[in-house]
Amino acid sequence: MKERIDWTTFLVPYHQAVDELKVKLRGMRKQYEIEKQYSPIELVTGRVKPVASILSKAERKNIGLHEIKEKIQDIGGIRIVCQFVDDIYTIVDLLRARHDFEIIEEKDYLKEKKSSGYRSYHLIIRYPVATIHGEQFVTVEIQIRTLAMNFWAINEHSLNYKYSGEIPKDIQMRLKKAAEAAFQLDEEMAKIREEVQEAQWIFHKK
């Protein structure tokens, strides 16, 4: 008998987890604003992976339908964007201190970038969702990156989609150069961080 999944029902806890996490993380940013403190969180977005993308990943990694919940960890995804590289580690510490979910895996692609040039910090969390059938746990991937890293990653993702994961070598080389340029931008901005923050604070007050 062929395996089948009722995707609408299957994805409900993921949608709930992503929606709740977005509210909580945006709430953290709001607290910094209310207390007139610099917020390491600039932007929070989230999404649930489309069914076609889930099935494509399952096929690529030879994962059976009955294994999807256990083996595909990024069905639910949260992205936190910040201004400076140091903010990434501040956010990681803030997330480690929370008690409303469990961090089960961390991947630091800042210290060890991917071969493509990709940089980011990933957390895989186990998040409890209250449903009409009781509490369920789902895994959600949290990506934390700077504005420059995010700009690069969005474009790299689009190119991967266009070329079905087989980006031409000349474009791959340009992407690597662009990734290094983005990293150098982050490093230069870090050197004038205090000046930038003071300017932003003056602008905000006005």
Side-chain angles (χ1 to χ4, degrees):
M1 183 176 177
K2 194 172 181 180
E3 295 176 287
R4 294 187 64 183
I5 290 180
D6 178 348
W7 288 106
T8 301
T9 302
F10 179 84
L11 293 176
V12 164
Y14 291 96
H15 283 287
Q16 188 171 331
V18 167
D19 288 344
E20 289 180 12
L21 285 163
K22 285 193 295 185
V23 169
K24 290 177 178 181
L25 294 169
R26 288 169 181 168
M28 289 172 66
R29 187 184 190 283
K30 187 67 176 177
Q31 288 171 39
Y32 280 104
E33 185 181 318
I34 290 170
E35 295 183 17
K36 296 181 169 47
Q37 296 184 45
Y38 169 76
S39 172
I41 299 172
E42 179 72 16
L43 177 70
V44 177
T45 61
R47 63 97 185 101
V48 173
K49 200 180 267 293
V51 173
S53 295
I54 297 172
L55 291 173
S56 176
K57 186 166 187 175
E59 185 177 356
R60 252 185 358 260
K61 294 184 174 288
N62 198 27
I63 296 171
L65 287 183
H66 65 287
E67 300 175 299
I68 283 176
K69 184 174 181 180
E70 177 188 350
K71 293 189 175 181
I72 298 184
Q73 298 180 312
D74 64 343
I75 293 175
I78 293 288
R79 183 172 301 151
I80 304 174
V81 181
C82 53
Q83 293 192 61
F84 302 100
V85 174
D86 286 349
D87 292 337
I88 294 176
Y89 293 105
T90 299
I91 294 166
V92 170
D93 288 339
L94 288 169
L95 296 179
R96 286 175 181 158
R98 294 187 70 100
H99 302 291
D100 50 344
F101 54 75
E102 175 191 2
I103 296 173
I104 57 177
E105 190 175 343
E106 298 187 33
K107 301 173 184 175
D108 189 344
Y109 295 119
L110 304 177
K111 292 179 179 174
E112 292 195 24
K113 65 182 178 182
K114 289 188 176 182
S115 59
S116 64
Y118 176 86
R119 286 181 171 93
S120 186
Y121 198 106
H122 292 192
L123 299 171
I124 305 297
I125 67 169
R126 186 169 177 261
Y127 186 83
V129 174
T131 76
I132 58 173
H133 303 293
E135 189 174 64
Q136 291 187 33
F137 290 88
V138 295
T139 55
V140 176
E141 180 184 69
I142 301 177
Q143 300 175 348
I144 313 165
R145 51 176 81 142
T146 65
L147 289 159
M149 293 173 192
N150 193 52
F151 175 71
W152 183 91
I154 288 171
N155 286 290
E156 192 251 3
H157 178 78
S158 298
L159 287 167
N160 261 314
Y161 182 80
K162 176 182 178 180
Y163 292 107
S164 302
E166 299 293 333
I167 300 175
K169 290 197 179 298
D170 62 322
I171 297 179
Q172 286 183 34
M173 291 302 297
R174 290 183 179 275
L175 274 173
K176 286 182 180 180
K177 288 180 181 178
E180 289 310 309
F183 184 66
Q184 287 174 21
L185 173 62
D186 279 332
E187 287 193 316
E188 289 301 315
M189 294 306 291
K191 293 174 184 175
I192 56 170
R193 174 175 177 154
E194 289 185 8
E195 291 289 333
V196 172
Q197 289 177 339
E198 184 180 350
Q200 289 174 340
W201 177 243
I202 291 169
F203 180 79
H204 178 72
K205 285 177 71 175
K206 287 183 178 180

